[in-house]
Amino acid sequence: MYLPTSRSFKTIFTPLTSPITFRNIKPTINPIKNTSINPSNNAFYNPSINPSRLLSVAATAPQSHPSLTFPNVGKDITTLPPRVRFAPSPTGSLHVGGARTALYNWLIAEGHRMDGGKGASFVVRVEDTDVERSTKESEISVLSDLKWLGLNYDEGPDSTTSFGPYRQSERSDLYKSVADMLLRDGNAYKCWCTKEELEAEKEAQIAAGISPRYGGKWRDADPAEVSKMEESGAPYTVRFKVPPGSRVVIDDMVRGTISWDADSTVGDFILLRSTGVPVYNFCVAVDDALMGITTVVRAEEHLTNTLRQGLVLDALKAPRPRYAHCSLILGEDNQKLSKRHGATSCGQFKDDGYLPDAMVNYLALLGWNDGTDKEVFTREELVEGFNMERVNPSGAVFDMDKLNWVNSQHLKSMSVDDVAVLVKDQLLMEGITREDAKGTDSEERIATAATCLAKQMMATTKDAAHNARDVLEYKLPNTFDELEGEKRDLVSAGNFYMVASSILSAYDKGAMPRPNEANLMEAFVEQTDNKLITEDNDTGGGAYAYPQAWKAFMKQLAQELGLKGKNLFHPARLAITGEFSGQDVTKQMTLVALASEFGSAIDLQKTNVVPLEVRMELLRGFLETVPEEFRVPKKKEEKEEPKAGDVSTEASGKGKSGKNEVEGGKGGDDGGAKYEGPPFSALDIRVGLVKKVWKHEESEKLFCEEVDVGEDEPRMIASGLQGFVNEEDFEGRKVLVVCNLKERKLAGFPSHGMVLCASNEEHDVVKFVDVPVGAEVGERVFGGGMEGEQGGKEEGLREDCTVPQDGQVRDRTVLREACHDKGWTGN
């Protein structure tokens, strides 16, 4: 919570003699939540003087020059409503590091408002003093990216307030006035050293092993000599006069107490160049003082700038803001994030199909957490939970996989209609739809269909566009000889020729179901409630709609050919779509039909749409190239019978293969119910986190999962758990995973492991094996703490299937007994 002030202040401003005016902000409450205040935060002192006394003097001293007013003079910074600022340099696009800085500042101001406070302000100040590199285009781009992120500012370049203007290039007169004030007060002086003199001095210091710094030739020069140089009109710089023996101390909200020996560190530094152009640190200090900034949150690379800025502020008798220097954002090689690591600008992420709420969510996590394992936040949750106390000073690694996952979670929480609006933009950007088709019914339906097809699997809205392009194309080669990899293996197995020939025959006879031209969207719409369907295994329409007609057709084909499962569905899918895996065939062909309509929104100059009619002719030509030996199914090889003297597979718990086999929930080719692998005493069991779950498109029993087991990439695993658990209960759960298993293809899905579950003898109750309390993702466990997910004995389970609640590791035989002899089921 915010801490209310315990004392009040009254500041009297002398009437202004220049057009510069400033608001008097009344003190209210502490700008930073749950933060203890160290009075030495604003200390500027000589070692021989009590720093707390100097603080008091600096905060309350009358101002020397009434033409310049600093709003926070005489006030306790910690009791004022937060005035935070984001100060980009318009020399490029908004980098994710800058975006995080803007976000943290915005969250502080918004948090104050959410807590009922008034007077908070998020200020955007454009630091464009680098004339050669600053561009108006860059400024527009940065402000546009802030708007896209939803980081709306209270004051900025387009604001007209007493604190403006908000571009440094428009504040030159202010900087000159402040420099003149410092000269009159003896806190600065003119320096006529030439470039050659300074270079010679620097070389001499380096040769002597001394850190280069200005020697102070003109610091205490003879006034007569100064007058002579002024009368000559020779160009000069204005240097700040660093007090002898001075130190600067700050209580950084992220890094704690930091101090500098100012006199020996920087020497007398330049405020105004000989051209009259102010230097960066001088501008920043003056702007923070004149704009009444109370809190500065920025990247750690600005930490060293704090020394010069603090010295200037102290000379102006303006209280310093509270500082927080956040860690740099790093690439996966632990080097500062840059373009060589991939996309780093917010504009690029926007174009790549990321959501602003997801970007804000992920950027907040780069250095901050709320103290829990929660990783997906709404904007409101971030505002409510954010405080600087929980910002970590260690470097944060930008993880694209993590960003993709966070983005996918936000996409899943959105409606199809809302996502389709964004997918529509991606389809246009990718050249799939035409600019002149914007707003047409065809564009709307194509975007909706593309969204429904990809919503469960896409990490970004661009994924939906790329998936749509793949669906519209037909990637079956012209000839058998052009086939490679798994497609070649599938055709060589012999079933493809038979299935594809039957499909062609039905097509020629007009017996193959096709999308309903009168209602092309029926495959995507629930008949009962008219809702759009995103689950891949679900299809819309009534009893006689295209999806149901296709199922009946495939059932008839199965009976005629004597095939089922992957031996039927994979060849059929390859024949129709050009791929043997993917989303529901009827939904894919519906998108193809939508794209093939006369006057569709598709840009046929940039997108290769292959209609069904063309696919069938290409398939016909391909079949002619299939060698004779691959036109009939291969016979299965006879399995070798056990030889005399072999250990009984029944008694040993092993199948004919000699490997452990455990019958699972429902069995069958697509149930994924058999365990084949090392002996149970040698299993590599690790804690995994289920990152993503979806239903297998051709099996009513299988879930497909992405599971993080502490490796570089998540494992793809198929589990026969449909009918036993819900996707919502599965996704995001910690599970135990058997990791040292060979890859198995379950209904065509390559599975790299097995999620451990327990079932009763009838296999009608299946529960996850509990992960030991406190176990981390990737941690190896062995049999300890494996009990039913409710704890203790589950009703209907054998007594010897449960594991004690104390979580103690049992004898090594427990896992074998529990998993094989006593009813554990690998799903």
Side-chain angles (χ1 to χ4, degrees), residues 444-512:
E444 187 73 29
R445 290 189 297 162
I446 287 172
T448 300
T451 302
C452 290
L453 268 173
K455 191 168 188 293
Q456 290 303 309
M457 48 75 73
M458 65 179 173
T460 69
T461 54
K462 179 171 280 189
D463 289 341
H466 288 174
N467 181 70
R469 188 186 295 278
D470 290 340
V471 168
L472 296 177
E473 294 176 352
Y474 185 62
K475 296 182 179 179
L476 184 70
N478 292 325
T479 67
F480 174 85
D481 290 339
E482 297 175 60
L483 282 174
E484 295 179 349
E486 292 180 308
K487 288 184 181 180
R488 189 180 185 93
D489 293 341
L490 189 150
V491 175
S492 299
N495 291 322
F496 176 81
Y497 186 89
M498 185 167 58
V499 173
S501 296
S502 297
I503 289 175
L504 266 176
S505 176
Y507 172 79
D508 291 339
K509 295 175 183 177
M512 189 183 82

Side-chain angles (χ1 to χ4, degrees), residues 164-179:
Y166 293 88
R167 295 184 185 89
Q168 287 184 339
S169 60
E170 299 171 2
R171 297 170 65 85
S172 299
D173 291 345
L174 288 172
Y175 305 134
K176 181 64 167 60
S177 296
V178 174

Side-chain angles (χ1 to χ4, degrees), residues 442 445-446 449 520-521 524 589-597 600:
S442 174
R445 290 189 297 162
I446 287 172
L520 286 177
M521 292 298 293
F524 296 104
M589 295 316 298
T590 294
L591 180 58
V592 172
L594 287 166
S596 304
E597 282 185 307
S600 83

Side-chain angles (χ1 to χ4, degrees), residues 639 647-663 674-680 683 740-744 816 820:
K639 292 185 177 180
V647 178
S648 166
T649 56
E650 182 177 351
S652 67
K654 296 182 179 181
K656 293 179 181 180
S657 65
K659 298 179 180 179
N660 289 283
E661 296 183 359
V662 181
E663 290 297 332
K674 286 191 176 183
Y675 160 69
E676 296 183 5
F680 286 104
L683 292 177
N740 58 335
L741 303 179
K742 292 182 178 180
E743 177 188 318
R744 296 180 299 160
R816 178 202 299 272
H820 181 57

Side-chain angles (χ1 to χ4, degrees), residues 647-821:
V647 178
S648 166
T649 56
E650 182 177 351
S652 67
K654 296 182 179 181
K656 293 179 181 180
S657 65
K659 298 179 180 179
N660 289 283
E661 296 183 359
V662 181
E663 290 297 332
K666 301 266 179 137
D669 287 340
D670 59 349
K674 286 191 176 183
Y675 160 69
E676 296 183 5
F680 286 104
S681 60
L683 292 177
D684 176 12
I685 301 176
R686 304 183 207 170
V687 177
L689 178 64
V690 181
K691 307 292 285 188
K692 187 176 181 181
V693 177
W694 66 97
K695 293 177 180 177
H696 194 290
E697 61 185 18
E698 293 176 358
S699 169
E700 297 179 354
K701 303 169 186 176
L702 287 178
F703 278 131
C704 302
E705 308 106 41
E706 286 185 7
V707 185
D708 179 7
V709 292
E711 298 171 332
D712 291 339
E713 299 290 338
R715 290 199 178 209
M716 308 300 289
I717 297 176
S719 303
L721 291 172
Q722 282 201 50
F724 297 106
V725 298
N726 297 321
E727 288 178 72
E728 294 78 12
D729 296 332
F730 203 176
E731 190 164 291
R733 170 186 284 274
K734 282 186 177 181
V735 294
L736 293 182
V737 180
V738 182
C739 292
N740 58 335
L741 303 179
K742 292 182 178 180
E743 177 188 318
R744 296 180 299 160
K745 286 193 176 179
L746 302 179
F749 184 86
S751 183
H752 301 266
M754 182 174 71
V755 176
L756 282 181
C757 296
S759 78
N760 62 352
E761 189 171 9
E762 292 76 24
H763 299 307
D764 57 7
V765 177
V766 177
K767 300 287 185 179
F768 291 105
V769 176
D770 274 356
V771 174
V773 176
E776 299 292 333
V777 171
E779 182 178 338
R780 286 179 169 82
V781 298
F782 192 86
M786 294 191 299
E787 56 184 334
E789 58 184 0
Q790 301 302 321
K793 181 180 177 182
E794 291 288 345
E795 182 178 354
L797 297 181
R798 297 183 182 184
E799 184 174 355
D800 49 8
C801 281
T802 61
V803 175
Q805 295 189 44
D806 59 13
Q808 297 300 311
V809 178
R810 290 187 174 185
D811 185 84
R812 286 179 175 270
T813 60
V814 167
L815 193 56
R816 178 202 299 272
E817 293 172 356
C819 292
H820 181 57
D821 299 324

Side-chain angles (χ1 to χ4, degrees), residues 194-473:
T194 65
K195 181 178 180 181
E196 292 73 20
E197 287 178 311
L198 294 173
E199 189 63 31
E201 182 179 55
K202 178 180 177 181
E203 292 177 359
Q205 290 173 335
I206 293 175
I210 302 173
S211 297
R213 56 194 291 270
Y214 177 61
K217 175 181 177 180
W218 289 94
R219 178 185 174 106
D220 297 309
D222 186 333
E225 184 67 18
V226 171
S227 297
K228 178 180 177 182
M229 293 300 295
E230 287 178 336
E231 292 173 1
S232 71
Y236 61 88
T237 60
V238 175
R239 289 183 179 271
F240 183 81
K241 184 181 289 186
V242 177
S246 59
R247 289 175 61 83
V248 171
V249 181
I250 65 169
D251 183 16
D252 194 282
M253 288 184 284
V254 174
R255 301 176 181 279
T257 302
I258 302 172
S259 63
W260 294 270
D261 183 343
D263 189 26
S264 63
T265 302
V266 295
D268 293 350
F269 53 92
I270 293 175
L271 302 178
L272 295 180
R273 298 181 178 90
S274 59
T275 58
V277 175
V279 300
Y280 170 78
N281 281 306
F282 179 53
C283 294
V284 171
V286 171
D287 290 343
D288 285 345
L290 292 176
M291 291 183 176
I293 300 300
T294 65
T295 310
V296 173
V297 179
R298 57 190 180 187
E300 65 176 313
E301 58 192 348
H302 290 284
L303 185 59
T304 56
N305 293 330
T306 311
L307 169 56
R308 291 175 174 83
Q309 294 167 19
L311 288 168
V312 171
L313 287 166
D314 293 339
L316 296 175
K317 299 181 176 62
R320 299 185 205 147
R322 299 207 62 213
Y323 292 101
H325 290 90
C326 303
S327 64
L328 294 177
I329 298 178
L330 310 175
E332 293 185 2
D333 57 359
N334 286 320
Q335 300 299 311
K336 182 180 176 182
L337 190 68
S338 63
K339 290 181 180 179
R340 63 189 174 86
H341 293 101
T344 60
S345 70
C346 290
Q348 186 62 56
F349 285 111
K350 175 185 177 183
D351 291 345
D352 286 344
Y354 290 87
L355 303 174
D357 279 357
M359 284 298 299
V360 163
N361 183 165
Y362 182 66
L363 290 174
L365 298 178
L366 292 176
W368 171 87
N369 67 80
D370 69 345
T372 71
D373 292 332
K374 184 178 176 66
E375 294 183 309
V376 179
F377 293 84
T378 64
R379 194 175 292 258
E380 291 72 23
E381 288 172 335
L382 285 174
V383 171
E384 183 177 9
F386 183 83
N387 63 66
M388 291 303 300
E389 279 191 337
R390 295 206 59 84
V391 175
N392 194 315
S394 301
V397 175
F398 194 92
D399 184 344
M400 282 299 302
D401 291 336
K402 181 70 169 291
L403 171 59
N404 287 337
W405 179 79
V406 170
N407 201 66
S408 72
Q409 301 309 299
H410 281 269
L411 282 169
K412 287 180 180 178
S413 70
M414 297 172 64
S415 70
V416 174
D417 289 336
D418 289 341
V419 177
V421 172
L422 304 174
V423 171
K424 198 182 301 181
D425 293 337
Q426 288 293 332
L427 291 170
L428 184 61
M429 287 175 59
E430 292 293 309
I432 297 173
T433 55
R434 306 189 317 276
E435 180 73 31
D436 62 2
K438 290 178 68 173
T440 63
D441 180 63
S442 174
E443 183 201 38
E444 187 73 29
R445 290 189 297 162
I446 287 172
T448 300
T451 302
C452 290
L453 268 173
K455 191 168 188 293
Q456 290 303 309
M457 48 75 73
M458 65 179 173
T460 69
T461 54
K462 179 171 280 189
D463 289 341
H466 288 174
N467 181 70
R469 188 186 295 278
D470 290 340
V471 168
L472 296 177
E473 294 176 352

